[in-house]
Amino acid sequence: MKLQEIVFEAITQEIPSSSGTFSLQTPLEELGIDSLKAITILYELEDRLNIEIPNDVFDSIKNVGDIVHQLQQLTAGSDTAWLEG
Amino acid sequence: MAGGVVVTGLGCVSGLGIGVADFWAGLVEGRSAIAPLTGIEDDLNIRIGATVRGYRPENHFIADDLSLLDRFSQFAVIAAREAMADAGLAQDESCARQAAAVIGTGCGGKQTDEETYTQLYRKGRFRAHPLTIPKGMPSAAASMVSMHLGIKGPVFSTASACASGAHAISQGCLMIKAGIVDVALVGGTDAPFTYGLLKAWEALRVVSADTCRPFSQNRSGIVLGEGAGMIVLESEAHARKRHAGIYAELAGCGLSSDAGHITRPDTNGIVKAIESALSHAGLVAEQIAYINAHGTGTQANDIAETEALHRVFGTHARALAVSSTKSVHGHALGASSALEFVATALAVHHGLVPPTANFTTAGYGCDLDYVPNTARKMPVEAALSSSFAFGGLNAVLALRSYPSEFVASV
């Protein structure tokens, strides 16, 4: 599964009503993702990807694409060959 | 205009179901909600309890709200909604904005805490769930009641083990008497059926394997329950002005601490709390017709409580109707005293005293009229609801009947 799909899935799991309504450019605020929901999504992604997301990443994510981008950087070179994205 | 504090709304969740109607019907029938626990771990010795059977959270909350609500907060909000609706205040946003909410809990969000600790300690997860603190903190129920009901006055929680709800009720009463608020939503909530907490209670060796038989010779300890009791208290002037139905007057509160043993009750502390409640209420002993006892069903409590009643009431002690409704709804810890206050208010209102269920024969040192197994129709001019918590924290609430032209029509 691509990283982007994993992020989309995590967002949809936290905000079921957002399913199919957003793109990489969608601001998190537009999806009703406040700071508490954002850290919950990151928590699920940490578990799913078996990585630790540092606190400063949290400060830099404003839209869906930011999450994907940050995770790409965090997983680059690590043992996540099953990821394609 | 009169300056008392009156009870104008009631709500509850208990082993008898959701709502005051099922609760009261079960109490009056002496139909104990204590039953075998289902779906629990094999290595637990505690196998019985009074849980809210058939409870489906999704019937009461949308998914987005549920993710933030521990079970103890869910019970609090459900009971609070009922109490505010019962008082006719559910749609009164301006009243809610000024109102207080004080919610007692003995345990806090144990389900949330234990789920996180299971992930950390047993499953090796390195990070705790981000909602662990906001869901699990003991004040979460008070915050959630405030958020769901739009209550924006003084809001906080009280913690005094099994007297938490009674202390919350007394705080609401005192805030109204002090003129700080006109309306206070008060009560208690707890959801203690988690593996770790059951193990902790098991270790205290006070939990019965049989059932809860307060004051009986063959009593063998407490039986845990869960739920929430919520009460709308109102200044008499405010209630009368809006022609609210009134169940009873909360005439006074008596609070004391044993300053003695962390678990063993002290008759002196109990006596002091009862005498303080009578004094604060301006009642004399002979006016009390009914006492909803703490009545846990332990050897120590039931003897100490009976002795205290003899000391306070003298010859009138024999004329008292004394019952423990824990025999029906179990010991719901921080919720117990609030559920029992609801029961006491209804006993005063209906002139009907709920029985001590599961009663066999009176135990050693238990020589009062415990209203065994059958409810009793009798006039109740005034009544006490008593709670004597672990740690020696005592709270006794005195209720007085209200002139019939103003009473609630339920």
Side-chain angles (χ1 to χ4, degrees), chain B residues 21-337:
Chain B
D22 285 350
F23 178 68
W24 182 240
L27 289 187
V28 171
E29 292 167 28
R31 175 166 40 85
S32 181
I34 295 165
L37 297 172
T38 55
I40 60 167
E41 288 80 352
D42 291 341
D43 67 335
L44 282 168
N45 289 335
I46 295 177
R47 310 301 302 178
I48 57 172
T51 58
V52 187
R53 283 174 190 75
Y55 171 63
R56 298 176 68 87
E58 62 272 23
N59 290 349
H60 302 273
F61 301 98
I62 60 171
D64 211 29
D65 287 342
L66 263 183
S67 66
L68 285 167
L69 288 157
D70 185 275
R71 189 173 173 92
F72 94 120
S73 295
Q74 294 170 31
F75 291 160
V77 171
I78 293 168
R81 285 174 180 160
E82 184 185 19
M84 288 293 273
D86 186 37
L89 294 172
Q91 308 300 323
D92 191 338
E93 289 179 18
S94 68
C95 181
R97 270 199 301 276
Q98 304 299 326
V102 190
I103 313 297
T105 180
C107 304
K110 285 290 182 195
Q111 193 177 65
T112 297
D113 290 346
E114 285 201 21
E115 278 171 10
T116 287
Y117 297 152
T118 300
Q119 293 290 328
L120 293 176
Y121 299 154
R122 283 187 149 181
K123 302 191 173 169
R125 206 161 178 165
F126 78 95
R127 197 188 286 282
H129 195 285
L131 299 182
T132 305
I133 298 295
K135 281 175 74 176
M137 59 189 182
S139 55
S143 293
M144 285 297 159
V145 165
S146 164
M147 290 160 64
H148 282 257
L149 279 295
I151 292 173
K152 296 183 176 178
V155 175
F156 55 96
S157 62
T158 55
S160 49
C162 313
S164 301
H167 277 100
I169 294 165
S170 66
Q171 285 304 300
C173 175
L174 297 175
M175 277 196 281
I176 292 171
K177 281 186 182 288
I180 296 170
V181 293
D182 285 322
V183 176
L185 175 64
V186 294
T189 185
D190 258 324
F193 289 95
T194 62
Y195 177 77
L197 199 55
L198 290 174
K199 276 287 183 191
W201 275 103
E202 201 175 288
L204 277 171
R205 300 175 188 272
V206 294
V207 178
S208 172
D210 170 26
T211 190
C212 180
R213 301 184 189 281
F215 305 110
S216 288
Q217 182 63 36
N218 58 340
R219 68 187 183 278
S220 51
I222 72 166
V223 175
L224 292 170
E226 65 173 354
M230 292 291 152
I231 300 101
V232 175
L233 299 178
E234 205 166 338
S235 74
E236 193 176 3
H238 190 270
R240 291 275 291 273
K241 189 176 174 187
R242 68 183 188 89
H243 305 290
I246 292 170
Y247 287 96
E249 178 190 2
L250 173 50
C253 316
L255 312 177
S256 75
S257 177
D258 294 349
H261 194 274
I262 191 66
T263 56
R264 190 176 58 239
D266 178 352
T267 304
N268 293 322
I270 296 173
V271 165
K272 186 177 180 193
I274 297 172
E275 288 180 341
S276 297
L278 293 173
S279 169
H280 188 228
L283 290 164
V284 296
E286 287 69 26
Q287 287 176 279
I288 302 296
Y290 170 54
I291 293 180
N292 187 298
H294 187 53
T296 55
T298 63
Q299 291 296 327
N301 175 84
D302 295 1
I303 291 173
E305 189 167 8
T306 299
E307 185 188 334
L309 293 177
H310 277 295
R311 278 175 52 186
V312 173
F313 290 93
T315 54
H316 183 64
R318 303 279 181 194
L320 293 167
V322 180
S323 72
S324 169
T325 50
K326 285 187 177 75
S327 55
V328 174
H329 52 66
H331 197 335
L333 305 176
S336 252
S337 47

Side-chain angles (χ1 to χ4, degrees), chain A residues 36-37 39 43 46-47 53, chain B residues 64 125 127-131:
Chain A
L36 202 54
K37 287 189 167 68
I39 58 174
Y43 167 79
E46 280 183 326
D47 189 53
I53 302 172
Chain B
D64 211 29
R125 206 161 178 165
R127 197 188 286 282
H129 195 285
L131 299 182

Side-chain angles (χ1 to χ4, degrees), chain B residues 379-391:
Chain B
V380 183
E381 179 191 352
L384 302 179
S385 178
S386 300
S387 302
F388 311 119
F390 266 1

Side-chain angles (χ1 to χ4, degrees), chain B residues 366-388:
Chain B
C366 301
D367 57 355
L368 296 173
D369 174 2
Y370 300 110
V371 197
N373 300 316
T374 306
R376 187 177 303 161
K377 191 84 184 160
M378 56 181 269
V380 183
E381 179 191 352
L384 302 179
S385 178
S386 300
S387 302
F388 311 119

Side-chain angles (χ1 to χ4, degrees), chain A residues 11-38:
Chain A
I11 291 173
T12 306
Q13 185 185 319
E14 180 64 19
I15 315 281
S17 60
S18 70
S19 179
T21 68
F22 60 90
S23 68
L24 287 171
Q25 285 71 43
T26 307
L28 299 182
E29 197 179 327
E30 201 172 286
L31 294 173
I33 298 173
D34 59 13
S35 60
L36 202 54
K37 287 189 167 68

